[in-house]
Amino acid sequence: MDPHPPGDERSPVVLHVPHAGTHVPTWTRPHLLLDDAALAAEVAALTDHRTDRTALDAAARARVRPWVAVNPVSRFVVDVERFPDEREEMAAAGMGAVYTHGTRGQRIRADDPGHRDALLAAFYTPWARRMEKVVAHRIAATGRCVLLDVHSYPPDPLPYELHADGPRPQVCLGTDPAHTPGWLLDAARDAFGAGVALDTPFSGAYVPLSRYGVDARVAALMIEIRRDVPEDTVVAALTGLVDVVGA
C-alpha cells in the first residue's frame, strides 16, 4: 500500500490515482528519446498534477475514511490504467500501456519488445496485483468495492486525444457498461452538481482485469476534473461522494 494512512475497514471505497506520479526510474530514462526539457514538457502536459493531494484530502475529511492508492511512477514509464493488449484504443496513437509516442504524436520511445516486456513486468503487473489485492480486501470486509478513479484534464484538448471534438465539462464522469450502476452515477451527479457530463472527452472506468466484466460486486466510476476547477470545490464534492457511496 501507499505510505498514507490506511482506510477504515468499514469502507468499500477505493480512490484510485494512477496518473499523479512523475517519477522516471533511472534505468528507464535512456529508452526515452526526448531530451530533459522535452520530457519535462510532456510530463507537465499529461500528469494529473495534485490529484493525489485531492484524493488524500477528501479521504481525510470523509466520515468513514476510504482507501487510497496512488501510483508514484510517471505514465511515461508505464500507464498502469491502459489495457496491455489490443483492447486499448489509445494504442492507435502510440499511447497504450507503454507509450511510443507523445502528446503531439512525436516518437518518444523506440519499438523494443524486450524493453516493453521489462517495463510491464516491473510496473504494470505489480500495480495490477496490488489493485486486485485492495479490491479483494474491500470485498472480503464489506461485500463490495466502489472504485473511484481520480483524474484531471486540461481545458483545451491536446493533439493526442482521440475524442477532442466533444464537450469539455467541468467534471467528466467516465462509465463502464458492466461496472457503473445507476446509483453510483446519481450520487456523483448530486455531489458534483452543475457542469457534469458523461463520457466526454474521456470514457471508461478502471477495474482490475481479473474482475473486469465478471464481478458485479465491483462498482467503478472515472472522475475527470477539468484543471481550471478550484481544488477546494473538487475536494468538497469528492468527500461528499465518498460519504454517500461508502455508507
Side-chain angles (χ1 to χ4, degrees), residues 186-209:
D186 290 344
R189 286 191 179 105
D190 288 344
F192 287 98
V196 171
L198 300 186
D199 296 317
T200 179
F202 305 102
S203 62
Y206 178 80
V207 175
L209 292 180

Side-chain angles (χ1 to χ4, degrees), residues 45 152-158 160-161 168 201-202 225-228:
S152 68
Y153 76 100
D156 297 318
L158 294 170
Y160 83 94
E161 294 183 22
R168 301 179 79 82
F202 305 102
I225 307 297
R226 204 175 63 203
R227 291 175 188 161
D228 58 351

Side-chain angles (χ1 to χ4, degrees), residues 19-72:
H19 293 157
T22 59
H23 179 54
V24 178
T26 303
W27 67 271
T28 72
R29 179 64 180 93
H31 293 266
L32 289 164
L33 305 177
L34 306 176
D35 63 26
D36 288 348
L39 179 58
E42 287 291 287
V43 169
L46 210 55
T47 299
D48 291 350
H49 301 281
R50 292 192 61 79
T51 50
D52 52 346
R53 189 72 261 160
T54 295
L56 289 166
D57 285 350
R61 298 180 189 184
R63 289 194 294 268
V64 178
R65 188 183 183 97
W67 298 74
V68 182
V70 176
N71 175 29

Side-chain angles (χ1 to χ4, degrees), residues 206-224:
Y206 178 80
V207 175
L209 292 180
S210 58
R211 296 182 185 267
Y212 183 66
V214 298
D215 193 343
R217 295 173 296 179
V218 181
L221 183 70
M222 179 169 67
I223 303 169
E224 288 268 5

Side-chain angles (χ1 to χ4, degrees), residues 52-240:
D52 52 346
R53 189 72 261 160
T54 295
L56 289 166
D57 285 350
R61 298 180 189 184
R63 289 194 294 268
V64 178
R65 188 183 183 97
W67 298 74
V68 182
V70 176
N71 175 29
V73 177
S74 172
R75 63 195 299 185
F76 284 96
V77 178
V78 169
D79 192 327
V80 295
E81 194 164 61
R82 300 271 161 92
F83 286 115
D85 51 33
E86 67 281 352
R87 289 173 291 179
E88 180 52 61
E89 71 166 352
M90 289 305 301
M95 299 179 76
V98 176
Y99 298 174
T100 57
H101 293 72
T103 59
R104 295 178 287 106
Q106 76 276 36
R107 172 68 71 164
I108 67 168
R109 186 184 274 118
D111 291 318
D112 183 341
H115 183 57
R116 182 182 188 276
D117 289 346
L119 290 174
L120 293 176
F123 303 107
Y124 190 95
T125 299
W127 186 260
R129 288 174 177 163
R130 175 181 178 178
M131 291 309 299
E132 165 58 29
K133 183 177 180 180
V134 171
V135 170
H137 189 235
R138 295 299 81 227
I139 291 174
T142 70
R144 63 191 180 110
C145 180
V146 182
L147 269 170
L148 301 179
D149 198 26
V150 183
H151 294 262
S152 68
Y153 76 100
D156 297 318
L158 294 170
Y160 83 94
E161 294 183 22
L162 297 182
H163 308 288
D165 295 335
R168 301 179 79 82
Q170 290 184 340
V171 180
C172 162
L173 300 178
T175 68
D176 180 88
H179 291 281
T180 309
W183 59 262
L184 180 52
L185 270 181
D186 290 344
R189 286 191 179 105
D190 288 344
F192 287 98
V196 171
L198 300 186
D199 296 317
T200 179
F202 305 102
S203 62
Y206 178 80
V207 175
L209 292 180
S210 58
R211 296 182 185 267
Y212 183 66
V214 298
D215 193 343
R217 295 173 296 179
V218 181
L221 183 70
M222 179 169 67
I223 303 169
E224 288 268 5
I225 307 297
R226 204 175 63 203
R227 291 175 188 161
D228 58 351
V229 178
E231 187 173 356
D232 57 348
T233 300
V234 177
V235 171
L238 184 58
T239 303

